[in-house]
Each structure stands twice: as structure tokens, then as C-alpha cells.
Amino acid sequence: MAFSQQAGSSIRVALGDRSYDIEIDRPLGDLGKKLKPLGLGNKIALVTNPTVKALYGAAAVESLKTAGYQVLSVEIPDGEEHKTLDWANAIYTALLINQFDRASALVALGGGVIGDLTGFAAATFMRGVPFVQVPTTLLAMVDSSVGGKTGVNHPMGKNMIGSFYQPRYVLMDLNVLKTLPKEELLAGMAEVIKYGVIADAELFDYLGRNREKILGLDRDTLIHIIQRSCEIKAEVVGKDEREGGLRAILNFGHTVGHAVETLENYKVRHGHAVAIGMVMASRLGHRTGLCDASVPQQVEKLVRDYGLPADLSGLSRKHAFQAFLDTIQIDKKAEGGKVKFILPKKIGEVVITKEWEEPVLRDVLKS
Ligand code: NAD
Ligand code: GLY
């Protein structure tokens, strides 16, 4: 077992001396005291964006200060277009001006954009300083804050510059989801659906049965889906931290999804792009003979039930198939000339394969 569950809603990511706890449903006000046992230095940079800062910045700063930390607030403008090397550089500059050293730590307070960028800055500043994730979107809670993928985008491709670098602790306060815009909640649901398809048919069914409760932010239901998602991710990451093989299953829906994001200049939400990608990958799985027709039908139904896009019709314009192929080739999952797809065999099981045909993908994207 690569993860172990503790009392309450705590999951341990088991990675030897880089192991850490994910705490689900822990008040933001506990942040400072939860960091104390980690033995961090006295200086903490709290990296966030103006939207999240206005809502939760003061509570986070107060909690850190009460625990005795000196806090530097670093603000990054809101939006995926700021997940760049330039903004990582802005973080380094703030840290240097304020004489941060290798004993200092970074705390990411925000969604996946802030988490990926802060983690990357932590991985590279002075060859690595500790960092902590405080995810404030559903997507960041179920996926991006866990597992240690950090990075920034390049105009030619999503997440092209990055590092595997694990946080020291992850704190999830579910109350913050009350202010999350509905579209962002739905974007997070795309990644939860992903876990159902790749590893847990029961979770997939649960999502179908509990839509109202989930969208109504019923606490126990949320805890269940976040916990299952984090357990699955922790188990996969514990077995294959650096994506030598198995971890690639977490990229289900991301091959076409990343191409959609890149071609649309990151104006389409990550979760929405993944939703489209999951439907396309499921159709490709069926057309490749791996699964029966009910699989893409079920995936498309659940995606649509959660108000997520299931085809390319909502994009800003029609992109040529060749543009998709070119962008997919640049994707870092390209190895030995042919891109790997993650395709379903059934709900709850996927395969990683290079056995797919271009004309079939073309048909699938058109459908
Ligand atoms: P995001 O970080 O852009 O957040 C979405 C929006 O919600 C932003 O406008 C943000 O300001 C706002 N917001 C955040 N928390 C809020 C709250 N509690 N209340 C009100 N508004 C709030 O987007 P995201 O969907 O969280 O993350 C997407 C990013 O995550 C992408 O860059 C994607 O590549 C990355 N990602 C990384 C991994 C990984 O393993 N590292 C996995 C999945 C996705
Ligand atoms: N989101 C894919 C991964 O963490 O590997």
C-alpha cells in the first residue's frame, strides 16, 4: 500500500523521506500551528492571487503570524496566462529582496495555477526550499496540490517547464469551496470523473447518483469524493513518482485536453479541456477495440450531467486536425515519435498505449 489513512480525513503520501500528509477538512486557521512540527525556518512567503487574497489572505496571514512566522505576501495576477517563467522570476525577486534563504518556505494559497507556479519557484529557488499547498479550488484539492508535479507553461505547450517536487504538507479547508464560482467547481469535477474512469467504477457510479449533493456542497459527500481522489492519486504517485510508467494513467483525457488548452491560448479551463479529452479518449478506446460502446456513452453522459463540454463545438474557432496532431506531438508524453494515449478498457480500468491510428483520431475529434 502506498498510502495509509489516518483518523479523520487525513491521507499520507508515502514517498520515503519525502512523505507528507494531506488533511481534508482542516480549518485554514490551523495552518500556522500545523506547520510548526515541519521544522521550517522563520520566514514564509505566502503566494496567492488577488481573488483568493481578498477572500482568505488575511486568515492565512493571521494564522501564520500567530504561530510566530514572519510573513511576506507575494501576489500573482489571476489566470493561467500568468503560470509562466516571468512570474516565477517575480517570486524569486520578491524572495531575494526580502532576504529569503534556504531555510525559508513558500506557501501556495490558491488553485492549481498558484500551486504549480509556487511549487516550481520552491523547487528552483536556491536549489529547493520547502513548500506547502493550501488548495482553494476543487481541482487543486483533488489533483494539482498532490503528487509533486510543479511547473509553468511555455507559449508552445502546456507545463513544458517544470520539476517533480513534493510539498511538505497539504491543508484543505472545504469551507473555501463556498466562494468558488460554479464553473470552477465543475472544472474540478472533471478530474474527479477521471479517477472514476481510471481506477474506481464505484466512484464513477457514486458521482452519477450524488450530483445534487455534490453541486450543493454537501460536506460528507465532498469529503468522500476528495478523499477517494486523493487516495487514488497518492497510491499511483507512491508507486511511480516520476512517471516512469503507471503515473501516466493520471493523464487520462489530458492528451487532447492539453492540445485544446494550447490551441485556445489557455482561455479554456483545464478541467473543461480534460472533460473533452476524456470523451475523445473513450471514443478512441472504443474505436480501437479496447472497450465496448457503453464506455464512451457513460463517460459522455456523466461529463454532460456535470455541465462540462464533451466535444469541440464550444471552442473559439475550428482548429485543423493537423494543428491538433502537431500540438499533441509537442506534448511531453510523446516518446519515440508516437504519443501515448490513456484509453479505457472499462469504467475503472485504463491502458497506456501507442496503438492508435491517426485517421481514427481524426474521426473521433470530428464526431
Ligand atoms: P485556477 O488556479 O486558475 O483557479 C480557478 C479560478 O478560481 C481562479 O480565478 C482563482 O482565482 C479562483 N479561485 C480559487 N480559489 C477560489 C475560491 N476558494 N473562491 C473563489 N475563487 C477562487 O485553476 P484550477 O482549476 O484550480 O487549476 C488549473 C491549473 O492546475 C492548470 O494550470 C493545470 O495545468 C494545473 N494542474 C496541475 C496538476 C498537477 O498535478 N500539478 C494537475 C491538474 C491541474
Ligand atoms: N495530473 C497528472 C499527474 O499528477 O500526474
Side-chain angles (χ1 to χ4, degrees):
M1 276 299 238
F3 67 87
S4 58
Q5 208 176 308
Q6 297 174 344
S9 302
S10 178
I11 294 161
R12 186 151 180 89
V13 183
L15 287 167
D17 60 1
R18 284 167 293 104
S19 300
Y20 57 96
D21 290 329
I22 304 164
E23 283 201 282
I24 303 167
D25 206 19
R26 164 73 63 179
L28 182 56
D30 286 355
L31 177 64
K33 80 172 183 215
K34 291 301 296 182
L35 300 196
K36 289 313 264 185
L38 300 181
L40 309 175
N42 186 41
K43 283 185 173 173
I44 289 192
L46 181 76
V47 185
T48 188
N49 71 28
T51 313
V52 178
K53 187 178 180 181
L55 293 162
Y56 307 110
V61 170
E62 193 192 322
S63 172
L64 292 168
K65 284 191 172 165
T66 305
Y69 293 106
Q70 222 178 300
V71 185
L72 168 72
S73 285
V74 181
E75 206 174 302
I76 307 295
D78 197 349
E80 179 79 33
E81 64 273 31
H82 302 107
K83 200 176 103 174
T84 60
L85 267 181
D86 282 349
W87 283 102
N89 199 37
I91 299 176
Y92 306 140
T93 305
L95 299 180
L96 289 168
I97 288 173
N98 289 280
Q99 291 159 359
F100 272 58
D101 55 26
R102 298 200 66 201
S104 318
L106 273 63
V107 172
L109 176 71
V113 168
I114 289 294
D116 282 11
L117 176 67
T118 307
F120 179 71
T124 45
F125 182 70
M126 296 194 174
R127 299 195 182 86
V129 293
F131 92 111
V132 166
Q133 291 270 19
V134 185
T136 62
T137 63
L138 178 64
L139 185 139
M141 290 179 186
V142 298
D143 197 354
S144 62
S145 67
V146 174
K149 275 192 183 174
T150 73
V152 295
N153 300 326
H154 186 280
M156 284 177 69
K158 176 91 184 153
N159 296 335
M160 282 296 135
I161 300 144
S163 165
F164 289 99
Y165 195 67
Q166 300 295 338
R168 297 285 301 279
Y169 171 62
V170 185
L171 181 148
M172 303 179 185
D173 180 343
L174 302 190
N175 282 322
V176 305
L177 297 178
K178 289 179 188 156
T179 56
L180 191 66
K182 183 158 179 230
E183 279 306 300
E184 302 298 347
L185 187 75
L186 299 181
M189 285 309 299
E191 300 283 8
V192 183
I193 293 171
K194 174 187 83 177
Y195 291 112
V197 180
I198 65 172
D200 189 344
E202 253 178 52
L203 174 64
F204 189 90
D205 290 345
Y206 183 91
L207 299 177
R209 291 195 311 274
N210 289 281
R211 186 180 158 281
E212 298 296 314
K213 281 188 175 175
I214 290 169
L215 299 185
L217 299 181
D218 175 74
R219 189 167 217 93
D220 290 344
T221 314
L222 280 180
I223 290 174
H224 177 70
I225 63 169
I226 294 170
Q227 185 160 320
R228 269 313 286 144
S229 301
C230 290
E231 284 171 356
I232 293 167
K233 182 147 189 184
E235 179 160 18
V236 170
V237 170
K239 287 179 176 157
D240 178 24
E241 184 185 9
R242 290 179 167 256
E243 206 167 305
L246 175 73
R247 184 169 178 157
I249 67 171
L250 299 172
N251 296 329
F252 173 61
H254 287 56
T255 309
V256 168
H258 280 172
V260 166
E261 285 183 88
T262 304
L263 291 172
E264 290 281 299
N265 294 318
Y266 306 118
K267 296 289 181 228
V268 173
R269 283 181 184 80
H270 177 74
H272 290 59
V274 168
I276 296 170
M278 290 193 295
V279 174
M280 297 302 161
S282 303
R283 287 185 191 154
L284 187 60
H286 169 53
R287 292 282 308 271
T288 307
L290 282 166
C291 62
D292 63 52
S294 71
V295 172
Q297 282 161 10
Q298 288 178 78
V299 172
E300 178 170 354
K301 180 172 184 321
L302 195 58
V303 158
R304 290 198 190 277
D305 281 353
Y306 276 94
L308 290 160
D311 57 42
L312 303 174
S313 62
L315 302 192
S316 64
R317 63 192 170 85
K318 201 168 172 338
H319 300 281
F321 176 64
Q322 193 57 44
F324 269 100
L325 269 190
D326 291 347
T327 315
I328 284 171
Q329 291 294 348
I330 288 177
D331 198 276
K332 64 187 175 306
K333 286 176 283 301
E335 270 172 24
K338 188 143 190 206
V339 172
K340 285 183 288 192
F341 264 89
I342 319 304
L343 303 179
K345 281 178 82 176
K346 58 183 185 186
I347 299 295
E349 188 181 345
V350 286
V351 291
I352 305 165
T353 180
K354 290 184 180 174
E355 305 298 314
W356 56 275
E357 302 298 330
E358 256 182 52
V360 180
L361 179 64
R362 180 196 298 266
D363 274 5
V364 158
L365 288 176
K366 270 194 198 158
S367 61

